[in-house]
Amino acid sequence: MNTALTNTARLLGAGLRALLVLTLVTGVIYPLAVTGIAQGLFPGKANGSEIKADGKVVGSSLIGQQGYSLDYFQPRPAHGLGENSVNTQYKLILSGATNLAADNPALVQQVEDAKAAVIKENSVPGHPVKASEIPPDAVTSSGSGLDPDISPQYAALQVHRVAERNGLSIAEVRRLVDAHTEGRTLGFMGEPRVNVLRLNIALRDLVARR
């Protein structure tokens, strides 16, 4: 009996030591090491890819925002988002796609409504927008609903409206878009894109300097 109790105690002691060691390694040392490396090598990404303006954090380069006035460049639609009443920066309870099939009448109507809005909002005297000029990202939401970027084509489509509403020349606004157009990652992954928040901050600064 004493031998059995002794063996049991040894096993319990060994198990406890293993638990403590694993807790220390995986719960303390490893997270601290990963956090330290991330902060040392990639501080911006480790802290949420924050975007600052006037010394304050105004968003993340990874998360799209809605609600810009027509003085600014518009983001992609965000039909997959759900809102709550909590006073947070984005007021979201979920993000995602609409999960509607391509032939679903609700999705077709969303696209048609978005297309009509894009044409109406971006047509200015002497420069009407045609339906054939509208790129897909102008009328469809992304898989998360939080895409922070738009295509260079959608940004270019908005140039005339933005220039007119802000008293800028078309050439000025086009240069702004070109300056904020990013190429494919590593030259071959993804598509060229324009970060809407960064572009709108630059637009605001340009207007303020005039």
Side-chain angles (χ1 to χ4, degrees), residues 9-125:
R10 287 176 179 173
L11 290 173
L12 289 174
L16 181 59
R17 287 193 296 272
L19 175 62
L20 292 175
V21 170
L22 289 173
T23 299
L24 180 64
V25 171
T26 62
V28 180
I29 297 176
Y30 177 75
L32 287 177
V34 171
T35 300
I37 293 172
Q39 290 291 342
L41 298 179
F42 315 103
K45 293 181 179 180
N47 292 311
S49 299
E50 296 173 338
I51 295 179
K52 294 184 179 181
D54 300 325
K56 299 183 296 184
V57 175
V58 295
S60 168
S61 64
L62 304 176
I63 302 176
Q65 299 184 27
Q66 301 291 318
Y68 294 106
S69 75
L70 291 178
D71 291 350
Y72 292 93
F73 286 90
Q74 301 299 301
R76 295 185 67 171
H79 296 302
L81 303 183
E83 296 184 355
N84 62 16
S85 59
V86 179
N87 186 23
T88 63
Q89 185 174 2
Y90 297 103
K91 300 182 180 179
L92 299 178
I93 55 175
L94 59 91
S95 70
T98 60
N99 290 328
L100 298 175
D103 60 350
N104 188 295
L107 179 60
V108 173
Q109 190 61 53
Q110 285 180 1
V111 171
E112 291 299 324
D113 291 345
K115 187 183 298 184
V118 169
I119 292 173
K120 179 181 178 181
E121 292 170 356
N122 293 282
S123 293
V124 299

Side-chain angles (χ1 to χ4, degrees), residues 74-78 114 118 133-142 147 149-155 158 192-194 196:
Q74 301 299 301
R76 295 185 67 171
V118 169
E133 299 174 324
I134 301 175
D137 62 302
V139 295
T140 58
S141 58
S142 65
D147 192 344
D149 305 317
I150 56 176
S151 65
Q153 292 78 13
Y154 187 27
Q158 302 183 60
R193 59 200 180 277
V194 182
V196 178

